Amino acid sequence: MGGYFNMEAHTAFFIKSTVALYLMSTLGEMNQRCYCWLATGVLLWKGMSMAGMTSDDSVAVIAGLLFVRSVPILYRRVLTIAATYPLALSFKYLKWIIPKYSITEDNFFNCDGCSPEVAERRRKAIKDMSESWKKKYPKCQEFSMELKKMISDLRFTSARCFPAFNSVIQDYLDPSMALERTEGVDVVDLDGNKSMDISGSYGV
């Protein structure tokens, strides 16, 4: 007995299409939505079978519904790939083309054309500050170095804090604070230093 839609000859195609659409729509997202789709497919199959439709017609209907549901999902995935994948390929080449402005230590302290005496005072001042920070924040700085090895966002943030002066500043200073606890309005870092929290974790 033939089905309502005479789709018997195309059943294999609809089954393959259903499986392919399901895999593409749920790739990397085997979550609750995937199980809901499977449950909906089973219920539709049972309902259409009870209504007298053949298995071939049921497969055709489920494949059609899945196609309609998958179109917006696949469209978003294609847009995401088009927006990100070409950029990921081009970054390793563009970084050599786009100029990067960075001041070396030789020109760091007199980059504004100051006298050698002023440049030397600046050099001494930043070295003194560096030593002071190392004594005041030894645990914070050690913790910061370990975190930067594991968390790429910290490396990115550190690299853009002092754009042209970044390479020298990072050698001398690490403006990181690792907090251990809070005491009222104060935050306490790993070295026991207290700072008043006036702007959502930015201690002063």
Side-chain angles (χ1 to χ4, degrees):
M1 176 180 173
Y4 294 115
F5 306 122
N6 296 317
M7 294 293 180
E8 292 81 2
H10 307 290
T11 300
F13 167 76
F14 287 123
I15 292 176
K16 293 177 181 178
S17 299
T18 301
V19 173
L21 287 170
Y22 180 79
L23 291 176
M24 287 189 292
S25 300
T26 59
L27 184 64
E29 297 181 8
M30 290 304 292
N31 51 22
Q32 186 176 2
R33 183 178 67 179
C34 304
Y35 299 114
C36 289
W37 283 26
L38 285 173
T40 301
V42 172
L43 290 175
L44 284 173
W45 182 286
K46 293 292 185 182
M48 288 184 287
S49 298
M50 293 174 62
M53 296 180 65
T54 64
S55 298
D56 300 313
D57 288 339
S58 299
V59 170
V61 171
I62 292 174
L65 292 175
L66 183 59
F67 173 77
V68 172
R69 181 66 185 88
S70 300
V71 167
I73 296 175
L74 296 179
Y75 176 70
R76 290 194 298 269
R77 287 179 180 249
V78 169
L79 284 182
T80 301
I81 293 173
T84 58
Y85 191 64
L87 291 175
L89 287 177
S90 61
F91 280 155
K92 58 183 178 182
Y93 304 108
L94 290 176
K95 69 179 183 180
W96 300 110
I97 300 174
I98 299 176
K100 182 180 179 181
Y101 183 58
S102 179
I103 297 176
T104 63
E105 186 168 355
D106 294 336
N107 302 315
F108 180 84
F109 299 100
N110 61 351
C111 61
D112 58 349
C114 69
S115 66
E117 293 76 14
V118 172
E120 188 57 35
R121 287 204 300 270
R122 291 172 175 174
R123 187 188 305 273
K124 183 178 183 303
I126 197 171
K127 286 183 177 180
D128 290 344
M129 181 180 289
S130 177
E131 293 302 318
S132 174
W133 281 23
K134 289 177 181 178
K135 293 177 181 178
K136 187 175 183 180
Y137 306 106
K139 294 181 181 178
C140 287
Q141 293 197 356
E142 182 180 356
F143 186 69
S144 173
M145 287 188 290
E146 291 299 319
L147 279 184
K148 287 177 182 177
K149 295 177 183 177
M150 299 181 289
I151 305 176
S152 60
D153 188 57
L154 289 179
R155 296 194 297 272
F156 170 75
T157 303
S158 298
R160 65 182 178 87
C161 283
F162 316 99
F165 306 96
N166 182 70
S167 60
V168 178
I169 290 293
Q170 292 299 324
D171 288 340
Y172 284 98
L173 305 173
D174 182 0
S176 302
M177 177 181 286
L179 302 181
E180 183 178 49
R181 65 184 187 277
T182 61
E183 295 181 359
V185 297
D186 294 332
V187 292
V188 184
D189 63 29
L190 295 179
D191 295 292
N193 303 300
K194 286 186 180 181
S195 304
M196 182 179 292
D197 185 8
I198 64 170
S199 182
S201 83
Y202 290 90
V204 295

